[in-house]
Each structure stands twice: as C-alpha cells, then as structure tokens.
Amino acid sequence: MTKPIPEVTPNTWSFLRDAMIKPTGFREYDARWKYPEEINLPGMTALGAGLGTQIRRRGIEPVIAVGNDYRDYSLAIKNALILGLMQAGIKVMDIGPALSPMAYFAQFHLDVPAVAMVTASHNPNGWTGVKMGFERPLTHGPDEMSELRDIVLNGEGTGHAGGSYEFVDGVKEAYIDDLVGDFKMSRPLKVVCATGNGTASAFAPEIFERIGVEIVPSHNALDYTFPHYNPNPEAMEMLHDMADSVKSSGADFALGFDGDGDRCGVVDDEGEEIFADKVGVIMARDLAKLHPGSTFVADVKSTGLFASDPELQALGVKADYWKTGHSHMKRRVKEVGALAGFEKSGHYFLAEPIGRGYDCGMRVAVEICKLMDRNPDQSMSDLRKALPKTWSTPTMSPYAADTEKYDILQRLVDKLVAKADAGDSFAGRAIKEVVTVNGARVILDNGSWGLVRASSNTPNLVVVCESSESEEEMRAIFADIDAVIRTEPDVGDYDQTI
C-alpha cells in the first residue's frame, strides 16, 4: 500500500482519496488524532490495514472485535478502520456502540484475540483515536505502537484474502450481566450517577438499578454535543458539578465516568472530591482484608500512602509504583500478579478474582457499592477521613508540543536529579531520592513529593504534588517544581492550577 502523507488540505480532491495521517498521533499506548485535521477517513483505512498486517505478522488468529464510542463521527471512522482490517484479511466482529471496557470484555465473551476500540476517550469533541490490543487483557504498549506506526507510515499494510464482516448483537447485555452477577445491595444506597451525556449514559444507570442502588441522575441522556461539559472525571468542572448534585440531593456519594467508560471519579457525601489514588487506598484497605498479602500497583502520579499507610502495612500489602498509562499499568498488574492497579487519572485495574485485569469504570462502580455494602456503618467521608491526611494537587498540565515534550522532559529530569545530587533543598526539605521510572518524582525526606512527566496522549507535561505535612508545603513543592519547569521557555500555560 502507498505511504500515507502527513498533511492534506481539507476540501480537496486529495483529501477524499489519499491517506493522511499525522505521525504524532501514534502515542505510547494508543492512537489519538484531531479529526479531520490530523487524520482523514482514507488514513483510518490505512491504519486498519496496518493493524491487520501487524496481526498477521505476529501469527495471531486473524479475528478482531471492533467497537466505537458515542460521538457523531465515530461510526464513520470505525467503518473506515474496518475496511482496512478487511483488506488485510481480518475477520471483523463489530459489537456496535460500546464502552472501551465492553470492547475488552468482548475479547473474552467472543473468544477473539484482538480488539480495536474507536474512541477519543476523555478528549473533547474534535478528537478521535483507537485503543487496541492482541494479548487480552493487555493493550498495545510502546513496542507494539512503534511497530504499528512503522507498518502504517512506511506503507507496509498488505492486502490479504479472507477478510469478512459480522455484526454481533447482545454483547452489551452480556457485559452488564457479567458486571452485576447475582449481587444485590443489602443496605440502602443513593448515588449520583454522572455521565456527562457520554457513552456511559447507556450503561451506568441500568447497572446501578440492577444492583439495587437509588440513582440521582446527572446528565444521563446520550448527547454527543456534550452540552454541559466534556465527560472527564479528572476535570474539576465535572467534579464540582458532581459535588453540587450530592449536596442538593443528599446522596451517599457521586460516581462519574469519562467518555469511553474506562475511568471513574468519586465525590463523597460531604461534597469532597476524592482523587482516584485515594479511592484506590480505600479500596486496597478493604480488599486486603479479603486478600491479605496482596500486591497493589500504583502509578507514579499516585499518593505515597500505598507504601506508607499503617493499615496496609499491617495487612502485609506490597506496593509497586509504576509508569503512568493504562497500557503500562495493565501489563505491570499482570507481570507481578497484583490484585489490582490504581492510577490517579481514574483508571482502576481489578484482576482475578475481582475483574479481568483491564480498566473498567463500571466494574469500579460495582466494587465501590460492594465495599459500601461490606461497611454498612461507614459513609464515604468516614472512609476518606480514616486515611492518613495528605494534601495533594489535581493533575495539572502545562502545554508542551508533542514534537518537543520528551526532549523538554529529559532536560527537566536531568536538572532535578542534579539538584538532588548537589544536596539542594526542595520546599525547604532535603531530597530523599528522585524516581525516574516515568519522568521525575522528587521524594522529600518526609515522604512528600512532586512529579513532572510527559503526557502520553496530549501535547502537555503533567505535574502532581503531594505533602504529608500541610497545604503550605504542597504549594511550596509546586512552586519549586514549577520554577524548574519555567527554565524551559517552550513550556506554555497550565490547563488548571492551584
């Protein structure tokens, strides 16, 4: 097949004929583009042909489950992707509109090796992309993405006989049955169900009703214009809206889901947002009582409590801090045989015997309800307050161009390591160590820390800080890490800040 070109002018003959793919859309563990500025429909067909060629090169059975999120352009993009897969001789099993975890579930339910989910995840309208994988429950990591990028951009997609198409009905119903099982709440529970009019609107209310939870609806009508806000439970706009709903309804807590349903955000009965890493510690405490001595993986943006919490230590828990990113985390959970993995962005990876190891916001919602059922005398705020107190920032993202961000980050890592080596203080304290598994996590002598890393799927750096002492120290850590970031003139403004 011919090589795709990186840029084609819209509203031209070439735009409707020639494959156009901007190379930066191939990211660490999935593919994301602005549509149609960075990829056109022929480009998506070239991606499908490349993915099909990758499947065949690896000797994998040429069958794939394909789904799409609820956006007005996702069906056209999925059909273009399917055309390329069929050209490469792949049998396509189209599961229709879906959540990303429903597509991952389809690999098990239909017993197929591969998956491709057309979704922009939590990115706003105007973005599209594909989450894909061969080795369930895993998705493509950097090696697989590099291989796919080279096949596609070098025009190595190869035609092959045997491609076919089948629309498969009933996967949504099977997915919900699998999540719910025969569980029913034994205590009354009233939950704000926040879906931001995204794909999860077609799933979450039904799941809550099936397990006997009273729902306070929050933007549960499907509407791909996202009239209120972009569904992203890491964004303060959605979390504040969830908090307002809790306060006005007297709900026990709120659960919110992103655009493709693989993430879950939590606001407690007092209207306090509980960042996902802290929810992870609450869940780890509960699960470790059922499974003592378990290993839990946390991403480098997450709280230090997985390692320092006395209750987890007493239950023999082992904490493993790893690279941020759903693909990295899934792989790590499988590699180390962890019971679960927790990512600050709201991805939770619940492995056997709880889940199947992939990130599923709906599974997390069910498990949080089960946790509350096992703790009938506790409120969500009780569980939050029982944790050792820390002060943490939201995830903050200053602009850095995709073509520059990794070089910028490397220089920042070098500068922060140099500060530690020189014995410099940070926020008035000694630096204990700088963990460089994924960016730089500067850990102070009291366990407080600040992190800078590169976003894997947007043109940004990512900054998170946590203090075990005070809000003042948290702000001082941010000020010192930001001062180092500002030595790089190509870093732009933050999306949100403290």
Side-chain angles (χ1 to χ4, degrees), residues 24 37 129 137 141-142 176 193 209 256 267 329 345 359 368 380 388 391 448 487-488:
T24 50
E37 298 93 330
I176 292 175
C193 174
E209 285 168 4
V267 172
M329 289 288 290
S345 63
D359 38 340
I368 287 174
M380 186 63 79
W391 291 260
S448 301
T487 64
E488 291 290 333

Side-chain angles (χ1 to χ4, degrees), residues 313-379:
Q313 288 176 338
L315 291 162
V317 160
K318 181 176 183 294
D320 181 85
Y321 284 90
W322 195 241
K323 298 175 184 177
T324 291
H326 65 86
S327 186
H328 295 308
M329 289 288 290
K330 270 181 277 225
R331 201 165 296 267
R332 187 66 172 177
V333 166
K334 187 176 182 184
E335 276 175 5
V336 302
L339 181 64
F342 304 103
E343 196 176 359
K344 189 181 172 80
S345 63
H347 290 273
Y348 300 73
F349 310 86
L350 302 171
E352 297 286 356
I354 307 161
R356 288 191 174 83
Y358 53 76
D359 38 340
C360 178
M362 303 299 121
R363 169 63 65 195
V364 175
V366 171
E367 294 305 320
I368 287 174
C369 292
K370 287 181 179 179
L371 180 154
M372 299 306 291
D373 208 55
R374 287 191 289 268
N375 296 275
D377 56 340
Q378 302 264 18
S379 67

Side-chain angles (χ1 to χ4, degrees), residues 181-255:
D182 57 3
F183 173 70
K184 280 277 190 186
M185 293 294 300
S186 62
R187 67 176 279 188
L189 206 61
K190 185 176 179 180
V191 176
V192 173
C193 174
T195 56
N197 306 105
T199 320
S201 305
F203 293 83
E206 181 180 344
I207 289 166
F208 284 129
E209 285 168 4
R210 286 269 297 269
I211 63 176
V213 168
E214 182 187 348
I215 299 166
V216 178
S218 175
H219 311 313
N220 293 159
L222 285 164
D223 186 340
Y224 45 53
T225 66
F226 302 149
H228 302 285
Y229 49 72
N230 182 50
N232 176 7
E234 198 177 10
M236 301 311 290
E237 183 180 19
M238 183 170 184
L239 289 167
H240 288 162
D241 187 59
M242 289 160 61
D244 291 343
S245 294
V246 168
K247 289 171 185 171
S248 63
S249 67
D252 292 297
F253 52 88
L255 297 176

Side-chain angles (χ1 to χ4, degrees), residues 298-317:
D299 80 316
V300 293
K301 296 194 312 188
S302 287
T303 176
L305 287 176
F306 289 100
S308 64
D309 176 39
E311 190 164 320
L312 288 180
Q313 288 176 338
L315 291 162
V317 160

Side-chain angles (χ1 to χ4, degrees), residues 8 15 39 75 103 148 170 235 258 292-293 313 321 324 342 354 412 497:
V8 175
F15 187 79
I39 192 166
L75 180 58
L148 176 64
D258 71 337
Q313 288 176 338
Y321 284 90
T324 291
F342 304 103
I354 307 161
L412 291 173
T497 188

Side-chain angles (χ1 to χ4, degrees), residues 301 344 393-396 449-452 462-466 481:
K301 296 194 312 188
K344 189 181 172 80
T393 68
T395 301
M396 302 173 288
W449 55 273
L451 169 81
V452 58
V462 174
V463 179
V464 183
C465 307
E466 179 183 64
I481 209 158

